[in-house]
């Protein structure tokens, strides 16, 4: 079975991190990218809280959670770094968040366009080898997501048999 | 690492199934046993709905969900098959449910005693080789549970690499 | 405008009270009657918790909350006092609960038949003069219910102007 | 019993209305003022949805709901009309919303300062005679709020006895 490589993120800025983050640098980990807009009700009520739960549940050696602010509407209201920073502060978002690079030709930012995202929230899972394994627009079930993430944790872990939860994807409780 | 074999269930009756169910007969599958009491608020509001979500999410070739009615209090009120049958009907519980065998010497039914359960709800996970892999009294997170179940699905599946969600634990939506 | 008198409750037993309760004895107070079945999911998840909130919110000199166990199905499972007592204990129901008198001729208990109730949960409001002011099968909004109860508290209170919340229906927080 | 007059709102702009709104112009109606910040999680998850429920539940001849954007932090992120307009659009807020006039001397906007508000969300109730009857910082119970609003609807309604819900505060369901 062949999977496509996940497109690298095209970002103009990063928050909650000293260094910009890239999928390339996260090779070897499972990556959850949560694409959101701060003014999107579904992102605020479901997508982002779910991404925070993933960030708190899985070992950071196995799973990296990244937010991606994919502003495609109300650019004036939510397009600035200042607005995003205030939002991340108030909602206590703990993981790195990149600002999807605006496009010169359209209101759709570049990473969003590359991935052909339908809107927000969009949840993306990338495996340890940098391949795109899931892209879902809308809400996802925690039970399904936990299973999918563990499935990707298990793959490519030579020293951690999927059946032994203590070696693979051990959980840290927040 | 050594795991203990999960104790066989000691039951006096079964509902939602033509044949009694045993862990022995389920060897080869991951088994979730949801121990509950029909009069236990936490079981009604959280434990049983979660077990139903697991039943609906995972492929039945990989995961079997069983309910176990472990009545240790209010025996007169909830100890009868009739009471349980009415409860299962009203709450639309779809999986097999066994009645934990009452004990002659104590109010604690036999399987509950064997497992040293602290109360209800108690969630138990048994792996494909019949070993006890989780026993938790109280509420569990869907994200954690989904990951743990997938971790056990992956173990012992020679033909289904854990990283390929299509082969291991494929989901059927209810 | 003419309102009908609320039918007296026909009960075979009472729990959570030393004395049987009747609408006649509650004349002068607003009465909320919550008709439920212990095996009815909507009663357990919404109706009863709402009745408990009303019991905790309004002054007992103004509002009396009564439960009525209107068993019309699964009689064997939920028809006994013992079953109801265990349920009320586990769910910490604090107000008096009457058992609707079974009927000789039908599975529908007597008070339920008198009121022509469609099922459970059914919420009934009786005003200070004993008149039936609301009967609703299904779920009701807290905002609407709070307004309706206050509206009935205000009626017939000669010394408590409806506009002064401190005199009429003052709240005690549980 | 003496009540103080509610301070008039000091606003720099209005949205969701053709004309600016004032408490003076609403004399004769019960007014709920929901003070919020678009970046305040408690406002987004509880305060504003509750204000929307009040707007949908009570008759507009009796109750007017007004939002007041009291930005006292993250001015750069949420202080503009554009930001607020985008937020109101995404969250489908249906009632008029005023922008609390910024102050020259402090980060606390003028109406917020006049009322001595502690923060957001703050819920204010004004009676038909323009008097301040409730000011609460934090979350309020729907049951309590529904009762308080009905209590104020009843006051001052000479032709609508509080006991008759059809004349006072009749509900329109959204």
């Amino acid at each position: 079975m062949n999977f496509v490589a996940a497109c690298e993120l095209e970002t103009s800025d990063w928050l909650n991190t000293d260094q910009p983050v890239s999928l390339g640098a996260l090779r070897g980990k499972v990556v959850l990218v949560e694409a959101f807009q701060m003014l999107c009700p579904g992102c605020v009520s479901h997508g982002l809280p779910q991404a925070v739960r993933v960030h708190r549940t899985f070992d950071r050696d196995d799973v990296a959670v990244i937010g991606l602010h994919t502003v495609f509407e109300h650019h004036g209201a939510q397009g600035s770094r200042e607005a995003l920073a205030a939002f991340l502060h108030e909602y206590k978002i703990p993981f790195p968040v990149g600002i999807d690079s605006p496009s010169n030709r359209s209101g759709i930012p570049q990473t969003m366009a590359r991935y052909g995202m339908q809107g927000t929230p969009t949840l993306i899972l990338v495996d340890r080898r940098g391949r795109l394994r899931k892209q879902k627009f809308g809400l996802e079930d925690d039970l399904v997501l936990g299973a999918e993430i563990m499935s990707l944790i298990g793959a490519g872990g030579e020293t951690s048999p999927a059946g032994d939860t203590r070696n693979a994807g051990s959980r840290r409780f927040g």
Side-chain angles (χ1 to χ4, degrees), chain A residues 70-85:
Chain A
T70 51
V71 176
F72 68 92
E73 52 189 351
H74 307 300
H75 290 83
Q78 54 181 355
S80 73
R81 179 199 169 96
E82 180 176 17
L84 179 60

Side-chain angles (χ1 to χ4, degrees), chain A residues 27-40:
Chain A
R27 190 60 59 82
K29 296 190 185 187
V30 172
V31 184
L32 183 156
V33 181
E34 181 72 27
F36 72 100
Q37 292 184 100
M38 58 182 275
L39 285 180
C40 157

Side-chain angles (χ1 to χ4, degrees), chain A residues 8-17 19-22 33-38 66-75 77-88 95-103 107-114 117:
Chain A
E8 185 54 80
L9 311 176
E10 186 63 46
T11 50
S12 58
D13 208 345
W14 281 90
L15 293 87
N16 286 348
T17 172
Q19 300 292 336
V21 178
S22 69
V33 181
E34 181 72 27
F36 72 100
Q37 292 184 100
M38 58 182 275
I66 304 174
L68 185 68
H69 201 215
T70 51
V71 176
F72 68 92
E73 52 189 351
H74 307 300
H75 290 83
Q78 54 181 355
S80 73
R81 179 199 169 96
E82 180 176 17
L84 179 60
F87 174 82
L88 298 180
F95 43 77
V97 176
I99 295 179
D100 194 356
S101 294
S103 155
I108 313 292
Q110 296 187 37
T111 313
M112 182 171 224
R114 278 182 180 178
M117 293 186 206

Side-chain angles (χ1 to χ4, degrees), chain A:
Chain A
M1 177 171 292
N2 290 326
F3 296 107
V4 299
C7 300
E8 185 54 80
L9 311 176
E10 186 63 46
T11 50
S12 58
D13 208 345
W14 281 90
L15 293 87
N16 286 348
T17 172
D18 299 326
Q19 300 292 336
V21 178
S22 69
L23 294 181
L26 292 171
R27 190 60 59 82
K29 296 190 185 187
V30 172
V31 184
L32 183 156
V33 181
E34 181 72 27
F36 72 100
Q37 292 184 100
M38 58 182 275
L39 285 180
C40 157
C43 303
V44 171
S45 65
H46 285 89
L48 284 167
Q50 182 177 60
V52 172
R53 287 195 296 279
V54 172
H55 174 80
R56 288 184 181 152
T57 297
F58 294 90
D59 193 302
R60 293 208 192 133
D61 289 340
D62 290 309
V63 179
V65 176
I66 304 174
L68 185 68
H69 201 215
T70 51
V71 176
F72 68 92
E73 52 189 351
H74 307 300
H75 290 83
Q78 54 181 355
S80 73
R81 179 199 169 96
E82 180 176 17
L84 179 60
F87 174 82
L88 298 180
H89 173 84
E90 289 301 321
Y91 279 85
K92 298 179 168 43
I93 303 299
F95 43 77
V97 176
I99 295 179
D100 194 356
S101 294
S103 155
N104 292 330
R105 297 169 299 163
S106 119
I108 313 292
Q110 296 187 37
T111 313
M112 182 171 224
R114 278 182 180 178
Y115 276 85
M117 293 186 206
Q118 298 168 262
T120 55
T122 290
L123 183 158
I124 282 166
L125 285 179
V126 181
D127 68 15
R128 295 186 189 268
R129 292 165 55 181
R131 302 174 301 178
L132 179 66
R133 298 302 290 272
K134 179 186 180 82
Q135 179 168 333
K136 179 159 181 171
F137 167 55
L139 307 186
E140 180 59 279
D141 226 46
D142 264 19
L143 199 60
V144 170
L145 184 60
E148 290 173 329
I149 290 173
M150 181 55 83
S151 163
L152 298 180
I153 287 173
E158 303 92 334
T159 60
S160 45
D164 183 351
T165 58
R166 259 165 288 191
N167 287 359
S170 63
R171 289 160 294 296
R172 172 175 56 216
F173 291 91

